[in-house]
């Protein structure tokens, strides 16, 4: 299959991340166009709205609309922030974007700064990908040296400074207000909203936060027009999108495909099921998205609307593929452990509830489940969902709810028989780790 | 007291933020100090607080909130293995088991020679490369099948 | 204004109000833990979830802004289900140890669990256990009970001004803690006990003493600083076991300083330094306990003898400014009846040049107006420790838009975002203030007084003046140090000049509970009388000492002791065993503030009366009664009052409001002679004396828990590095300091002190042998 996208598919070679290579690919053309043609701010936001670009960080919020929330006339400092914290299990696209095409993100952020009248930007980079952080800092150096950042960019009267800030291991910092707190030098505890970042963001100033991939989509939209971007995908779901495919496939990795691509095709691109085994379940949008059984998933196309209709979320585009060697109770146990460990701890339902969920699932997995446990789990998730400060509470609940909904029988088997439906040695084979040993 | 070298490094980080927002550099400062001293003692945290003009307990909040800071000494090589679901599906847990057995330690333990500390990690944003592990917070190792793990351990001298 | 309907009742609230505000206005209770009206909104407990029309999810009342036409239901099925769900989460890891918990009976969690808790515990896993923290002598912890509302953390950050507590770690492992091994040292720390909605933070001194429901509650007024904090004194079986704030938005808001809160321990103290419960008489060099009759008759007879032999002017009286209005009034009436005008309660004052100018120094504005000031200059004040809650008001004001500047002699961190400051030696304080005056005059284009012709304003002085000159509502406050300064009257004149130039209010931060009341009660000398300093410098034959410990409370303890020891008759009236044993002839056990009714007039002129909370201990009597009997014994007219109310009515002429008319900070015609005012220092070293917060009065000194805090560390001889070096000293060395008397202290480094200054605290045994609090001092290796 030929190149479908413009973010990763356009990059090639070891040095694709260098400024010179990016410029060769037409990079910074959008910025130059804006500056030289003095394109009005309204037109930039207008193109974004036309493009139907929806946030790539998980919530799928229309980007053009978000940018239009920034108070135009606000006199003081305003900020644009890129969310490269990518901690949602299964998601690994932003790392590749920053690794191979950092300047595209930088260009997108500069344009955002221009369009929203921001003087400064920060890119918050996941702590564990230190090499990428270093690379991004180098890219920033290149951009500064070329007067793409700093004072009077490309001779215009527009000035914009951009910096990288690294995380240090906290999933919650992917939540946008936790991320802002983290940049402010505090623990990453989400803020109650309202006020939203557009009115009270970084250092209390108006701020817009977008995902890495969202920013990377911006130059294309400016260069080619919003309509063209929209056409790449399908209505209300513009553009191509990166899908991170992990789990039981032959070739895990990132695939940049048009919105609306059938899941079947993506699975094929990822080399099909590992060992030719049977697909059991897919989490289509990162670990917080409800799991879908194979039959439902095989009917889905990859876009916000289709997946939502099927009862899950496109989320960050992280497609976690599980085959028949998977124990669904064990899988859920691991996810529940994750949310329990990553809860920031400030609000009661999440702090107390995630631990409760994990302990009950753990108990079931370890053959100590009780018949009433599934009802209990459902009830506890009901008490968490919609009652927390940020969406981590929901994120922790949705897997529990959906695993029980679709694979309840497996849980019941665990509770009754104190062991797994999938024999231990079968489970061992799924990972492919021991084949090498 | 912070060394001149670490002060310089921290100053470079502080310069990224508005002048009255020195505190924004605290994460970087802690990372710098951890790289220099191996872990974050109470004294180090106090030093960072004094340097950035923060309340020590505010720095402690930060140091204890983020996973990658070590509030207790670790071995020369801290190996963090991602065992989260996407990685586990491709051997993350098995790789960790393999390491446990080879090093003779469990998670959060250090080998008796003080060389290796094993940690369980959460998603590192590299699930496509599973099994993945992070060495000393900065070096990401991908596709860690048994052979690669053996080689990694040999490299660590 | 926005209209909102809650549970069918409608009201209007201001823009920016939250649903919680509106509920308060309507008198509707929304359950909550993390919300507190004085703290920032955290919205973390989620207990206040309510249903809002059209919102798909329940929303926290504390953080949800009201929108026009909003409809809220606090008791709908959705709301109650959410509240019950949160309550269940709060309880799963909470120990069910209410029967042994000190918070029992006053626990918000316990109260709400009754309404919102579920009966059957669905949580069957192991409960979390959290190790306790050592927060110091005042706050006990039981961290397993913590519900992570972070009120305590926000209090230290926002109200006390320095984050001493944090919420470390995350998720279920999150714990409230101080920085490793650190205690909570704020002078306001006890408030976290009130704020903690559960029994995680409780009072260490009170621990296990009683249960809430066993205590009766009596209103009272704090006898410490000039604020006059409103108190609830809690009593069990005739004993004061706890003191809590009585909320008064205009005075102490809902806070108390630790001194206000924990000094009560002194009331129950025994031992050598503890409560005195029996009159004592020294006869033939021997102290013996006597009955009141004997003691009072002895005083009557002996006083008559002294007056007969030496004249009435040989009789002097020293009263503590912490005595009540009634006590001070009858004391001066007694003195004046006996023919002497020698009465004073301004024991640490040294410059009395303003006497006779009708000055009744007060704050100059209502306390509650402090936030309305846009510019403030504080002159000569250990602000935070001298006036913890006034400092707190200034701290909050400075966070908004008030520019607070400080002119002082030590650089203690006030935990206030100061706009500017100037830290100078006491001997330079005048010229520095003069510089501010001059710079302000220049900035305002006002005439510069001829006396200031030679003054060269410093950079800091100009900065302060510039800020003051640009304000609309400014105030200049003179602190305790300024009031105690050897040239206090000149400081006053300069401050008044400054206030006139910039159109500011001039005010005094009242040192003690009766700093205003002393004037109103006329417990200051008339034209014929001697002030406190002169009474000691020119020793009298007889002294009455009321509530004071002269070796700790007077400006020149060395001189005070010499004068008292040389007298023929010293009558000490005190609730405590004091060093009166060394110099007095009669010691009378009188009631502390909790054992008598009385009145304090606070620094803003507010007249606050209170009743006794408990009966006097042992043979203790209220001082006003004792003085009345003494008046009768001496056959003086006008000592027929049968209650403290009668005393007050007589004193205030039945018109408490008349006090306001007498408050006056204006002293016209005080000449300024800066040259004469600036002393020449021979040896080049001068003393800076603070009165540390827990050495400031006899009660605080005897509160064991307060004495274990960091603020009660024994005095040292503190100098900056240059001064230490100049004297060839290292920190930690023992040094002998001399000024009138001597003391041996440890040398310590204090970076922020001006050159050639030696900071030695007053109010403590270790420094009671020294001479004046200000002026020259010598330091040598011991
Ligand atoms: C618990 C949690 C974790 C999140 N993690 C990420 C993340 O790692 N990366 C990201 O871009 N957005 C993440 N988000 C979403 C962000 O809050 C935010 O919606 C997003 O960055 C907005 O960018 P977008 O509009 O471009 O998608 C997370 C949200 C939650 C509630
Ligand atoms: S939902 Fe969880 S992660 Fe989000 S604010 Fe509440 S405790 Fe923190
Ligand atoms: S009181 Fe509203 S969330 Fe705690």
């Amino acid at each position: 299959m030929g190149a479908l996208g413009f973010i990763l598919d356009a990059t090639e070679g070891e040095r694709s991340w260098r400024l010179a290579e990016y410029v060769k690919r037409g990079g910074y053309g959008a910025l130059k166009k804006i500056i030289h043609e003095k394109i009005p701010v309204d037109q930039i936001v207008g193109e974004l709205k036309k493009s139907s670009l929806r946030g790539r960080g998980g919530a799928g919020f229309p980007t053009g609309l978000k940018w239009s929330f920034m108070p135009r006339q606000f006199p003081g400092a305003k900020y644009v922030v890129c969310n490269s914290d990518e901690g949602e299990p299964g998601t690994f696209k932003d790392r590749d974007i920053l690794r191979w095409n950092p300047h595209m993100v930088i260009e997108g952020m500069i344009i955002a700064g221009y369009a929203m009248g921001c003087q400064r930007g920060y890119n918050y980079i996941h702590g564990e990908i230190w090499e990428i952080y270093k690379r991004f800092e180098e890219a920033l150096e290149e951009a500064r040296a070329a007067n793409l950042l700093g004072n009077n960019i490309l001779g215009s009267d527009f000035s914009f400074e951009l910096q990288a800030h690294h995380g240090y291991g906290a999933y919650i910092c992917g939540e946008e207000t936790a991320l802002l707190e983290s940049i402010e030098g505090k623990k990453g505890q989400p803020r109650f909203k309202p006020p939203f970042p557009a009115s009270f963001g970084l250092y209390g100033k108006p701020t817009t936060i977008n995902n890495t991939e969202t920013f990377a989509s911006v130059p294309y939209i400016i260069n080619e027009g919003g309509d063209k971007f929209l056409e790449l995908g399908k209505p209300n779901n513009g553009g191509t999108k990166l899908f991170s495919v992990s789990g039981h496939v032959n070739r895990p990795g990132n695939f940049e495909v048009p919105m609306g691509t059938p899941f079947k095709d993506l699975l094929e691109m990822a080399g099909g099921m590992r060992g030719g085994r049977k697909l059991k379940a897919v989490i289509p949008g990162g670990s917080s998205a409800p799991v879908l059984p194979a039959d439902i998933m095989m009917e889905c196309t990859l876009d916000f609307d289709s997946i939502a209709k099927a009862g899950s979320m496109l989320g960050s585009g992280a497609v976690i593929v599980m085959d028949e060697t998977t124990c669904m109770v064990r899988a859920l146990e691991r996810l529940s452990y994750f949310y329990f460990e990553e809860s920031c701890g400030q609000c009661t339902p999440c702090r107390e509830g995630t631990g409760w969920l994990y302990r009950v699932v753990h108990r079931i997995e370890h053959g100590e489940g009780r018949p009433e446990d599934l009802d209990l789990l459902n009830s506890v998730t009901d008490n968490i969902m919609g009652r927390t400060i940020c969406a981590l509470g929901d994120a922790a609940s949705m897997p529990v709810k959906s695993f029980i909904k679709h694979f309840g029988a497996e849980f019941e088997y665990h509770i009754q028989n104190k062991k797994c439906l999938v024999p231990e040695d079968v489970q061992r084979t799924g990972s492919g780790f021991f084949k090498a040993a | 007291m912070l060394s001149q070298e670490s002060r310089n490094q921290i100053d470079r980080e502080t310069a990224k933020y508005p002048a009255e927002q020195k505190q924004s550099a605290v994460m970087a400062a802690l990372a710098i100090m951890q790289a220099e001293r191996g872990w974050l003692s109470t004294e180090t945290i106090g030093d960072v607080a004094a340097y950035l003009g923060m309340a020590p307990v505010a720095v402690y909040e930060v140091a204890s909130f983020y996973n990658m800071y070590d509030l207790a000494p670790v071995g020369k090589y801290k190996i963090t293995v991602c065992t989260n679901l996407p990685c586990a599906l491709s051997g993350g847990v098995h790789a960790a088991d393999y390491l446990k057995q080879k090093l003779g330690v469990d998670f959060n333990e250090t080998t008796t020679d003080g060389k290796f500390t094993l940690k369980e990690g959460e998603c590192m944003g590299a699930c496509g490369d599973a099994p993945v592990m992070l060495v000393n917070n900065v070096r990401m190792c991908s596709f860690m099948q048994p052979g690669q793990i053996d080689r990694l351990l040999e490299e660590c001298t | 204004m926005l209209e909102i309907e809650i549970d069918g009742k409608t009201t209007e609230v201001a823009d920016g109000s939250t649903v919680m505000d509106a509920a308060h206005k309507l008198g509707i209770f929304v359950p909550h833990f993390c919300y507190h009206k004085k703290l920032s909104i955290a919205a973390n407990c989620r207990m206040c979830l309510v249903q809002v029309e059209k919102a798909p999810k329940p929303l926290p009342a504390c953080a949800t802004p009201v929108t026009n036409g909003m409809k809220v239901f606090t008791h709908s099925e959705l709301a109650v289900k959410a509240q019950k769900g949160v309550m269940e989460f709060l309880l799963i890891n909470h120990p069910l140890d209410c029967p042994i918990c000190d918070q029992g009976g006053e626990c918000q969690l316990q109260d709400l669990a009754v309404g919102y808790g579920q009966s059957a515990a669905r949580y069957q896993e192991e409960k979390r256990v959290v190790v306790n923290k050592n927060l110091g002598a005042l706050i006990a912890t039981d961290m397993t009970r913590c519900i992570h509302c972070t009120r305590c953390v926000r209090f230290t950050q926002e109200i006390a001004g320095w984050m001493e507590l944090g919420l470390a770690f995350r998720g279920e492992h999150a714990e409230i803690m101080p920085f490793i091994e650190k205690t909570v040292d704020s002078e306001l720390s006890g408030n976290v006990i009130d704020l903690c909605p559960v029994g995680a933070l409780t009072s260490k001194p009170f621990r296990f003493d009683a249960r809430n429901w066993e205590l009766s509650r009596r209103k009272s007024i704090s006898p410490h600083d000039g604020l006059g904090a409103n108190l609830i004194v809690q009593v069990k079986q005739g004993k004061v076991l706890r003191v809590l704030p009585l909320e008064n938005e205009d005075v102490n808001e809902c806070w108390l300083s630790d001194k206000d809160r924990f000094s009560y321990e002194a009331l129950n103290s025994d031992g050598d330094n503890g409560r005195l419960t029996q009159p004592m008489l020294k006869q033939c060099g021997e102290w013996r306990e006597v009955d009141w009759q004997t003691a009072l008759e002895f005083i009557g007879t002996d006083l008559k003898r002294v007056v007969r032999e030496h004249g009435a002017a040989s009789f002097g009286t020293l009263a503590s400014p912490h005595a009540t209005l009634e006590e001070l009034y009858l004391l001066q009436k007694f003195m004046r009846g006996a023919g002497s005008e020698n009465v004073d309660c301004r024991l640490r004052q040294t410059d009395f040049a303003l006497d006779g100018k009708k000055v009744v120094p007060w704050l100059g504005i209502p306390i509650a107006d402090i936030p309305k000031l846009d510019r403030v200059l504080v002159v000569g004040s250990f602000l935070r420790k001298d006036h913890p809650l006034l400092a707190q008001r200034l701290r909050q004001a400075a966070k908004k838009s008030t520019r607070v500047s400080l002119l002082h002699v030590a650089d203690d961190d006030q935990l206030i975002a100061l706009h500017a400051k100037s830290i100078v030696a006491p001997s330079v304080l005048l010229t520095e203030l003069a510089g501010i005056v001059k710079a302000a005059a220049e900035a305002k284009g006002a005439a510069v007084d001829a006396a200031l012709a030679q003054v060269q304003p410093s950079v800091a002085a100009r900065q302060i003046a510039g800020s003051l000159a640009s304000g609309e509502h400014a105030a200049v406050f003179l602190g305790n140090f300024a009031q105690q300064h050897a040239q206090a009257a000149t400081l006053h004149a300069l401050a008044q000049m400054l206030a006139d130039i910039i159109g500011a209010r001039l005010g005094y931060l009242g040192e003690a509970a009766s700093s205003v009341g002393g004037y109103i009660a006329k417990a200051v000398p008339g034209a014929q009388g001697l002030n406190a300093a002169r009474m000691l410098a020119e020793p009298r034959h007889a002294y009455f000492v009321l509530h004071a410990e002269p070796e700790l409370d007077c400006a020149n303890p060395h001189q005070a002791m010499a004068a008292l020891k040389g007298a023929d008759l010293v009558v000490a009236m005190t609730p405590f065993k004091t060093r009166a044993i060394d110099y007095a002839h009669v010691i009378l056990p009188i009631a502390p503030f909790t054992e008598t009714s009385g009145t304090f007039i606070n620094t803003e002129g507010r007249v606050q009366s209170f009743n006794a909370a408990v009966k006097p201990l042992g043979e203790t009597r209220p001082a006003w009664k004792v003085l009345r009997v003494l008046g009768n014994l001496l056959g003086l007219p006008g000592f027929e009052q049968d209650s403290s109310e009668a005393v007050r009515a007589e004193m205030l002429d039945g018109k408490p409001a008349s006090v306001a008319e007498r408050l006056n900070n204006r002293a016209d015609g005080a000449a300024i002679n800066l040259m004469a005012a600036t002393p020449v220092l021979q040896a080049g070293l001068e003393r800076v004396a603070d009165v540390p917060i827990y050495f400031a009065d006899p009660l605080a000194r005897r509160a064991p828990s307060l004495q274990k805090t960091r603020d009660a560390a024994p005095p040292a001889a503190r100098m900056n590095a240059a001064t230490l070096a100049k004297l060839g000293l290292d920190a930690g060395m023992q040094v002998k300091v001399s000024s009138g008397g001597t003391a041996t202290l440890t040398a310590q480094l204090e970076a922020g002190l001006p050159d050639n200054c030696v900071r030695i605290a007053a109010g403590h045994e270790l420094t009671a042998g020294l001479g004046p609090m200000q002026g020259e001092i010598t330091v040598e290796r011991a």
Side-chain angles (χ1 to χ4, degrees), chain C residues 195-435:
Chain C
L195 288 172
C196 181
V198 295
L201 305 178
T202 53
S203 163
K204 214 175 232 180
F206 174 69
R207 236 181 168 200
F208 311 128
D209 278 353
R211 313 288 283 172
N212 183 44
W213 57 83
E214 302 171 326
L215 297 166
S216 50
R217 300 155 64 89
R218 310 277 155 78
K219 291 180 188 176
S220 192
I221 301 295
S222 166
H224 302 289
D225 59 40
L227 183 80
N230 293 196
L231 311 177
I232 292 175
V233 174
Q234 293 193 307
V235 172
K236 179 181 164 188
Q237 288 162 0
K239 211 169 149 189
V240 175
L241 289 189
R242 186 164 68 167
V243 168
L244 297 175
L246 175 64
E247 191 168 337
N248 186 339
E249 195 54 28
D250 294 335
V251 180
N252 50 304
E253 303 167 73
C254 53
W255 312 125
L256 282 186
S257 69
D258 288 353
K259 185 159 68 172
D260 293 335
R261 183 186 299 268
F262 295 108
S263 280
Y264 76 87
E265 277 194 295
L267 303 168
N268 308 322
S269 59
D270 44 26
D272 288 351
N273 206 23
R275 286 295 297 274
L276 178 76
T277 52
Q278 189 77 33
M280 308 261 291
L281 185 62
K282 193 171 174 181
Q283 279 179 321
C284 311
E286 287 285 314
W287 280 106
R288 57 185 190 93
E289 294 187 344
V290 294
D291 58 22
W292 275 97
Q293 184 79 12
T294 312
L296 294 179
E297 276 173 8
F298 173 86
I299 296 168
T301 314
D302 218 36
L303 192 59
K304 280 187 203 150
R305 177 187 60 79
V306 173
V307 172
R308 204 172 47 239
E309 290 176 7
H310 305 283
S314 69
F315 177 22
T317 266
L318 301 166
S320 163
H322 301 279
T324 66
L325 204 60
E326 291 78 356
E327 292 168 341
L328 293 169
Y329 177 77
L330 282 188
L331 178 69
Q332 63 81 30
K333 188 171 185 181
F334 176 77
M335 284 301 293
R336 290 191 160 102
S340 171
E341 283 259 13
N342 304 339
V343 57
D344 211 342
C345 61
R346 301 163 299 175
L347 303 184
R348 291 198 185 97
Q349 192 166 319
T350 49
D351 179 359
F352 296 87
L354 294 180
D355 279 7
K357 294 192 187 297
K358 293 207 155 67
V359 170
V360 177
W362 69 296
L363 189 63
I365 57 168
I367 291 166
D369 282 357
I370 288 177
K372 296 184 194 150
L373 297 169
D374 59 4
R375 300 289 186 274
V376 174
L377 171 63
V378 177
V379 179
S381 176
F382 296 91
L383 188 57
R384 183 154 75 88
K385 300 297 175 180
D386 287 350
H387 309 282
L389 288 175
L390 288 179
Q392 186 273 138
R393 293 235 188 205
L394 284 168
R395 177 174 307 131
Q396 304 314 323
K399 272 194 225 164
K400 303 225 169 78
S401 54
T402 310
R403 289 190 189 163
V404 183
S405 301
L406 177 69
L407 166 59
H408 192 35
V409 295
D411 199 10
D412 298 2
D413 192 343
Q414 304 301 338
L415 303 181
I416 294 173
L418 292 176
H419 173 75
K421 69 180 170 191
S422 175
I423 306 300
V424 297
S427 57
V428 190
L429 199 59
L430 288 143
T431 32
E432 186 67 5
L433 181 55

Side-chain angles (χ1 to χ4, degrees), chain B residues 93-149:
Chain B
V93 177
H94 297 150
D97 289 343
Y98 185 77
L99 269 168
K100 285 182 192 170
Q101 180 229 323
K102 276 209 81 154
L103 298 174
V105 293
D106 211 329
F107 285 138
N108 298 317
E109 287 178 2
T110 301
T111 52
T112 42
D113 59 3
K115 200 158 151 194
F116 293 103
T117 299
L118 195 60
K119 294 255 173 187
E120 181 168 33
E122 291 301 348
C123 183
M124 300 175 181
C127 332
D129 299 355
V132 289
M133 39 195 78
L134 192 61
V135 181
N136 289 343
N137 300 329
V138 294
R139 186 175 155 211
M140 173 96 72
C141 305
S142 303
F143 303 110
M144 298 304 280
Q145 297 291 334
Q148 280 85 340
I149 293 176

Side-chain angles (χ1 to χ4, degrees), chain A residues 55-61 66 83 85-88 94 171-172 174-176 209-211 214 390-392:
Chain A
R56 305 305 198 214
F61 194 85
K66 190 187 258 190
N83 187 344
D85 193 45
E86 195 164 60
E88 175 81 4
D94 297 340
Y171 163 64
I172 191 59
E175 196 283 337
E176 56 191 19
I209 303 146
N210 278 118
N211 172 255
T214 312
C390 82
L392 190 138

Side-chain angles (χ1 to χ4, degrees), chain A residues 172-242:
Chain A
I172 191 59
C173 288
E175 196 283 337
E176 56 191 19
T177 54
L179 183 152
L180 297 179
E181 290 280 301
S182 187
I183 298 183
E184 290 181 6
K186 305 178 196 149
K187 299 174 286 189
Q189 285 192 336
R191 301 174 183 165
F192 178 78
K193 286 156 283 190
F196 291 93
S199 55
F200 190 92
L202 184 61
Y203 308 125
K205 304 288 187 234
T207 301
T208 288
I209 303 146
N210 278 118
N211 172 255
T212 321
E213 188 184 349
T214 312
F215 281 120
S217 306
V218 170
Y220 180 93
I221 294 170
I222 300 301
N223 278 326
E224 308 288 334
D227 292 328
K228 177 108 183 268
F229 183 85
L230 175 59
E231 280 161 24
L232 289 178
K234 60 185 254 194
N236 197 31
N237 294 270
T240 58
K241 163 102 192 74
L242 285 172

Side-chain angles (χ1 to χ4, degrees), chain C residues 682-763:
Chain C
Q682 305 288 338
L685 281 184
E686 58 184 304
R687 178 175 175 191
V688 167
D690 55 332
V691 185
I693 181 165
Y694 304 136
F695 303 164
D697 60 64
L699 279 169
R701 285 173 202 134
R702 287 173 176 79
S705 302
L706 291 178
Q707 292 307 318
K708 284 183 213 143
T709 63
R710 208 171 263 269
D711 275 325
R718 283 135 80 171
M719 288 158 266
N720 70 16
T723 309
L724 279 173
K726 185 173 132 186
L727 297 173
L729 298 172
D730 289 325
M733 282 178 174
Q734 291 295 105
V735 291
K736 191 176 139 202
V737 294
S738 324
S739 70
T742 62
T744 303
L745 301 167
T746 311
Q748 268 180 18
L749 174 69
E750 180 175 318
L753 281 173
D755 285 346
N756 303 319
C757 286
V758 189
R759 176 166 172 179
I760 301 170

